[in-house]
Amino acid sequence: MQYQLPLLAVRDVEVSKRFYHDLFEQEVAMDLGRNVTFSGGFAIQQDFDWLVGIPKSTILHQTNNMELYFEVDDFEAFWSRLQQHPDVDLVHGPKTHEWHQRVVRLYDPDWHMIEVGESMTVVAQRLLREGNDVERTAEMTQLPVGFVEQCRKGME
């Protein structure tokens, strides 16, 4: 058995397709009309109730019990792009977690939660550039020393 991908139930596949393409740069890998798979390894499905044979009333919106997670190398550029979409509802604006990663959470058109976080490689490299050594950076980010050492080597 091989795991394939998560699938999100959506009300309007065209609205969701534009949302994930325009804001998250997801390319359509396969478009089957009511089912669309994106290059990032997830899919959306319109008429999910029909597909699985359950009452439409049981398809819940804004459950807040899962999220899609994306990372970006340039968090400020993503935040600027997100601000170009005032119709997008935020869970919260930009914040910095205790491990020094900047993140923002938002809802897609069907109220699925999405987290966009600064790449942990970028976080480690930023802290290293600020003068922290590998061990201190690993402690601050809660990352393994070996991972931080690879980030340091990537800066050379």
Side-chain angles (χ1 to χ4, degrees):
M1 182 180 301
Q2 182 179 359
Y3 176 77
Q4 293 297 309
L5 50 77
L7 181 138
L8 302 174
V10 301
R11 288 173 289 191
D12 186 325
V13 75
E14 292 302 321
V15 168
S16 293
K17 194 164 44 171
R18 277 191 308 278
F19 175 83
Y20 283 105
H21 176 267
D22 294 352
L23 195 55
F24 294 94
E25 301 172 342
Q26 294 298 295
E27 297 299 326
V28 172
M30 184 181 299
D31 189 336
L32 301 174
R34 292 187 276 189
N35 179 284
V36 174
T37 301
F38 292 103
S39 57
F42 68 99
I44 56 176
Q45 174 72 47
Q46 185 173 310
D47 300 324
F48 188 69
D49 56 311
W50 161 82
L51 177 69
V52 298
I54 60 175
K56 188 178 270 307
S57 62
T58 65
I59 304 295
L60 304 176
H61 296 282
Q62 196 174 355
T63 59
N64 291 331
N65 60 3
M66 64 81 60
E67 67 181 15
L68 291 180
Y69 175 67
F70 292 88
E71 283 191 349
V72 293
D73 288 340
D74 188 340
F75 184 81
E76 294 303 323
F78 176 78
W79 176 242
S80 293
R81 184 171 8 153
L82 182 57
Q83 290 178 306
Q84 305 286 321
H85 298 268
D87 55 322
V88 173
D89 291 299
L90 298 180
V91 177
H92 62 74
K95 72 178 193 177
T96 304
H97 283 298
E98 65 184 51
W99 50 89
H100 297 266
Q101 180 190 36
R102 295 178 295 173
V103 302
V104 62
R105 286 184 176 86
L106 56 123
Y107 292 110
D108 80 356
D110 292 281
W111 294 92
H112 298 109
M113 191 181 301
I114 301 169
E115 176 183 353
V116 179
E118 182 179 27
S119 159
M120 289 307 295
T121 297
V122 170
V123 172
Q125 289 176 340
R126 177 170 35 86
L127 293 172
L128 290 164
R129 275 200 263 333
E130 290 174 1
N132 297 289
D133 64 17
V134 168
E135 289 75 20
R136 176 70 179 133
T137 299
E139 180 183 319
M140 293 170 71
T141 59
Q142 303 172 19
L143 293 168
V145 170
F147 179 87
V148 175
E149 181 60 36
Q150 290 292 47
C151 294
R152 187 192 62 73
K153 288 180 181 174
M155 295 169 55
E156 297 174 351

